[in-house]
């Protein structure tokens, strides 16, 4: 990966499209292998491969996924991001990767994506506010990127920062949160294969309101951990400050693993409302680690989940 910012190539120029199969896929097709490049959600767009980590649950509609959002940089209403995020400039885009890494630098998104196999990951998504969706993300494991830049000795956490650009993010002109939005993971959480950087959904580039052009998705944690529009990734040896945790540490823990047995101080987390399920659908039970216990429970062996909430 090149570190220097480059102006000749836009990241969208190198995002693989279904109509331009990669060499590897061409050769596989020639060899008569089953071609799995088309997203299962059926839309022509970015070439993705399916993932064993995808849920078989029905995805929410594109209208739900792109019309009911939390992205406080554009306002606190669920329809504010769809209304106001459209004018955010997402190309060119670079991510500064630093701290305890072997190859720190400013990486153009085009370089981050070059050679990367994009997967479709259909994940349950559970907001701390007790609503949920199923989202067909397009993305790749964060571990792959961290391996490419080289995790440095002594790194124990990964910190993330959202773009700070009040001229395009009107919410940042108000002290709703301590901008820029910051989040963090323990290194083992960041390296877990479920943790992805997502660059799209429904087989298309990421809509601005969902965190274009690149955002984190950690499906076993409450949605606010899945930070949007990332411009900075820093590996650290100490637990990094996180926006919601700093705003109200009693209500929003550093871990924020989905847990039906640990209530939010102001509401129960035992059940959730599935967006789009219909007026009479009723609430559904919330699952420990949002149903991903098999993949992630061992990360927390020996920890008291009520204490480390
Ligand atoms: N930068 C930033 N990232 C963010 C937020 C935000 O306000 N700003 N909201 C979080 C919350 S609370 C949720 S539930 C999810 C929502 O993601 P979605 O709109 O794609 O469903 O984004 C998370 N990431
Ligand atoms: Mo959320």
């Amino acid at each position: 990966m090149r570190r220097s910012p480059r102006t000749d190539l836009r990241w969208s120029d190198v995002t693989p499209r279904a109509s331009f199969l990669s060499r590897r896929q061409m050769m596989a097709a020639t060899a008569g292998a089953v071609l799995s490049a088309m997203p299962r959600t059926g839309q022509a767009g970015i070439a993705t491969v399916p993932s064993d980590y995808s849920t078989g649950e029905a995805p929410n509609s594109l209208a739900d996924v792109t019309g009911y959002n939390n992205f406080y940089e554009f306002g606190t209403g669920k329809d504010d991001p769809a209304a106001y995020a459209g004018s955010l400039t997402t190309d060119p885009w670079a991510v500064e990767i630093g701290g305890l890494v072997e190859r720190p630098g400013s990486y153009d998104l085009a370089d981050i994506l070059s050679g990367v196999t994009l997967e479709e990951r259909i994940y349950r998504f559970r907001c701390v506010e007790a609503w949920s969706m199923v989202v067909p993300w397009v993305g790749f494991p964060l571990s792959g990127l961290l391996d490419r830049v080289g995790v440095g000795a002594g790194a124990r956490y990964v910190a993330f920062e959202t773009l700070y650009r009040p001229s395009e993010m009107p919410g940042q002109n108000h002290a709703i949160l301590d901008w820029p939005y910051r989040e963090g993971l323990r290194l083992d959480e960041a390296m877990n294969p479920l943790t992805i950087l997502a660059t799209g959904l429904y087989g298309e580039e990421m809509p601005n309101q969902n965190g274009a052009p690149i955002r984190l998705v950690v499906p076993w944690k409450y949605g606010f951990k899945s930070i949007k529009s990332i411009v900075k990734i820093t590996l650290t040896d100490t637990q990094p400050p996180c926006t919601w945790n700093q705003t109200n540490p009693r209500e929003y823990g550093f871990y924020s693993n989905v847990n039906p047995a640990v209530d939010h101080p102001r509401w129960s987390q035992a059940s959730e409302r599935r967006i789009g399920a219909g007026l009479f659908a009723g609430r559904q039970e919330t699952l420990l680690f949002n149903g991903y216990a098999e993949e992630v429970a061992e990360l927390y062996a020996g920890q008291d989940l009520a204490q480390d909430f």
Side-chain angles (χ1 to χ4, degrees):
M1 272 199 298
R2 283 192 222 179
R3 260 165 283 178
S4 52
R6 36 193 292 185
T7 50
D8 55 326
L9 193 59
R10 298 277 162 124
W11 62 262
S12 45
D13 294 334
V14 300
T15 303
R17 310 291 298 184
S19 47
F20 299 101
L21 297 175
S22 73
R23 240 174 75 83
R24 194 165 51 80
Q25 287 165 332
M26 296 273 268
M27 293 193 310
T30 309
V34 177
L35 194 60
S36 56
M38 291 304 287
R40 268 205 286 150
T41 42
Q43 299 195 353
I46 299 169
T48 61
V49 299
S51 167
D52 288 343
Y53 292 115
S54 287
T55 173
E57 286 170 71
N60 276 83
S61 70
L62 181 64
D64 284 344
V65 173
T66 60
Y68 189 92
N69 303 98
N70 276 332
F71 200 168
Y72 279 16
E73 284 84 343
F74 297 100
T76 55
K78 294 288 184 277
D79 49 3
D80 285 338
Y84 302 118
S87 52
L88 177 68
T89 307
T90 60
D91 196 355
W93 194 273
V95 182
E96 193 187 326
I97 307 180
L100 299 170
V101 296
E102 287 162 2
R103 289 171 288 280
S106 176
Y107 290 92
D108 194 279
L109 186 53
D111 296 319
I112 289 174
L113 294 179
S114 88
V116 167
T117 300
L118 291 175
E119 301 174 34
E120 180 179 64
R121 297 270 186 123
I122 307 173
Y123 279 164
R124 287 179 292 277
F125 187 87
R126 170 62 156 81
C127 175
V128 73
E129 298 163 334
W131 53 265
S132 66
M133 292 199 201
V134 175
V135 183
W137 302 109
V138 173
F140 60 94
L142 172 63
S143 66
L145 178 62
L146 296 181
D147 285 341
R148 285 168 80 189
V149 295
V151 175
R156 289 183 56 217
Y157 295 89
V158 185
F160 304 86
E161 264 184 47
T162 294
L163 176 71
Y164 180 69
R165 189 183 289 159
S167 61
E168 290 188 350
M169 297 175 133
Q172 290 180 336
N173 293 300
H174 306 271
I176 311 165
L177 293 172
D178 180 18
W179 313 111
Y181 195 103
R182 294 184 183 86
E183 259 308 333
L185 297 171
R186 222 169 51 191
L187 184 60
D188 59 345
E189 298 175 322
M191 297 301 280
N192 187 276
L194 283 180
T195 304
I196 59 168
L197 288 170
T199 56
L201 55 82
Y202 262 106
E204 299 288 348
E205 278 165 17
M206 191 67 78
N208 285 2
Q209 60 264 42
N210 293 93
I214 187 165
R215 58 92 55 91
L216 186 69
V217 179
V218 193
W220 73 94
K221 293 178 178 285
Y222 292 123
F224 69 85
K225 298 293 292 183
S226 292
I227 182 173
K228 296 176 167 181
S229 304
I230 295 167
V231 293
K232 198 170 178 184
I233 299 177
T234 311
L235 281 81
T236 65
D237 56 359
T238 51
Q239 187 177 300
C242 301
T243 296
W244 280 107
N245 177 243
Q246 285 201 307
T247 302
N248 194 335
R250 216 174 61 87
E251 299 193 352
Y252 309 103
F254 170 78
Y255 287 97
S256 283
N257 294 314
V258 176
N259 191 335
V262 178
D263 286 338
H264 186 279
R266 291 184 281 132
W267 59 83
S268 166
Q269 294 291 27
S271 69
E272 63 200 53
R273 178 173 65 95
R274 177 61 57 84
I275 299 299
L279 201 51
F280 305 106
R283 298 175 72 85
Q284 63 185 69
E285 274 181 36
T286 288
L287 303 172
L288 179 60
F289 299 117
N290 202 23
Y292 297 100
E294 204 178 304
E295 289 84 3
V296 301
E298 68 182 28
L299 295 174
Y300 310 102
Q303 282 182 256
D304 178 348
L305 297 177
Q307 202 64 37
D308 296 340
F309 66 98

Short mmCIF file of all heavy atoms in Angstrom, two decimals, residues 70 125-129 131 222-224, ligand 2:
data_model
loop_
_atom_site.label_atom_id
_atom_site.label_comp_id
_atom_site.label_asym_id
_atom_site.label_seq_id
_atom_site.Cartn_x
_atom_site.Cartn_y
_atom_site.Cartn_z
N ASN A 70 -28.90 6.85 12.79
CA ASN A 70 -28.26 7.69 13.78
C ASN A 70 -26.92 8.16 13.21
O ASN A 70 -26.05 7.33 12.90
CB ASN A 70 -28.00 6.93 15.09
CG ASN A 70 -29.21 6.91 16.00
OD1 ASN A 70 -30.03 7.83 15.98
ND2 ASN A 70 -29.33 5.88 16.82
N PHE A 125 -28.17 -5.99 13.45
CA PHE A 125 -27.62 -4.71 13.93
C PHE A 125 -28.54 -4.22 15.04
O PHE A 125 -29.74 -4.03 14.83
CB PHE A 125 -27.59 -3.71 12.77
CG PHE A 125 -26.89 -2.42 13.09
CD1 PHE A 125 -25.52 -2.30 12.91
CD2 PHE A 125 -27.60 -1.33 13.55
CE1 PHE A 125 -24.87 -1.10 13.22
CE2 PHE A 125 -26.96 -0.13 13.85
CZ PHE A 125 -25.59 -0.03 13.68
N ARG A 126 -27.99 -4.05 16.25
CA ARG A 126 -28.82 -3.74 17.42
C ARG A 126 -28.36 -2.41 18.02
O ARG A 126 -27.24 -2.29 18.53
CB ARG A 126 -28.68 -4.89 18.43
CG ARG A 126 -29.26 -4.68 19.83
CD ARG A 126 -30.76 -4.45 19.85
NE ARG A 126 -31.36 -4.81 21.13
CZ ARG A 126 -31.36 -4.04 22.23
NH1 ARG A 126 -30.77 -2.86 22.21
NH2 ARG A 126 -31.96 -4.46 23.32
N CYS A 127 -29.21 -1.41 17.97
CA CYS A 127 -28.90 -0.11 18.57
C CYS A 127 -29.15 -0.18 20.06
O CYS A 127 -30.03 -0.90 20.53
CB CYS A 127 -29.75 0.99 17.93
SG CYS A 127 -29.56 2.62 18.71
N VAL A 128 -28.38 0.60 20.81
CA VAL A 128 -28.54 0.65 22.27
C VAL A 128 -29.94 1.17 22.65
O VAL A 128 -30.42 0.93 23.75
CB VAL A 128 -27.41 1.53 22.89
CG1 VAL A 128 -27.64 3.01 22.61
CG2 VAL A 128 -27.26 1.27 24.39
N GLU A 129 -30.59 1.86 21.69
CA GLU A 129 -31.94 2.37 21.94
C GLU A 129 -33.02 1.29 21.83
O GLU A 129 -34.21 1.59 21.91
CB GLU A 129 -32.27 3.49 20.93
CG GLU A 129 -31.35 4.69 21.03
CD GLU A 129 -31.40 5.60 19.80
OE1 GLU A 129 -31.73 5.11 18.69
OE2 GLU A 129 -31.08 6.78 19.95
N TRP A 131 -33.80 -0.77 19.22
CA TRP A 131 -34.37 -1.15 17.93
C TRP A 131 -33.30 -1.93 17.16
O TRP A 131 -32.11 -1.86 17.50
CB TRP A 131 -34.85 0.06 17.11
CG TRP A 131 -33.85 1.16 16.90
CD1 TRP A 131 -33.72 2.30 17.64
CD2 TRP A 131 -32.82 1.24 15.88
NE1 TRP A 131 -32.68 3.07 17.15
CE2 TRP A 131 -32.12 2.44 16.08
CE3 TRP A 131 -32.43 0.40 14.84
CZ2 TRP A 131 -31.05 2.83 15.27
CZ3 TRP A 131 -31.37 0.78 14.02
CH2 TRP A 131 -30.69 2.00 14.25
N TYR A 222 -23.50 -2.79 20.66
CA TYR A 222 -24.52 -1.79 20.35
C TYR A 222 -24.02 -0.89 19.22
O TYR A 222 -22.82 -0.62 19.07
CB TYR A 222 -24.86 -0.98 21.60
CG TYR A 222 -25.59 -1.83 22.62
CD1 TYR A 222 -25.09 -1.98 23.92
CD2 TYR A 222 -26.77 -2.50 22.28
CE1 TYR A 222 -25.75 -2.78 24.85
CE2 TYR A 222 -27.43 -3.30 23.21
CZ TYR A 222 -26.92 -3.43 24.49
OH TYR A 222 -27.57 -4.23 25.40
N GLY A 223 -24.98 -0.44 18.43
CA GLY A 223 -24.68 0.24 17.18
C GLY A 223 -23.73 1.42 17.28
O GLY A 223 -22.99 1.70 16.33
N PHE A 224 -23.72 2.10 18.42
CA PHE A 224 -22.88 3.31 18.49
C PHE A 224 -21.38 3.00 18.42
O PHE A 224 -20.57 3.88 18.15
CB PHE A 224 -23.22 4.17 19.71
CG PHE A 224 -22.86 3.59 21.05
CD1 PHE A 224 -21.60 3.73 21.57
CD2 PHE A 224 -23.83 2.91 21.80
CE1 PHE A 224 -21.28 3.21 22.82
CE2 PHE A 224 -23.52 2.39 23.04
CZ PHE A 224 -22.24 2.53 23.56
MO1 LIG B 2 -27.37 3.50 18.26
#
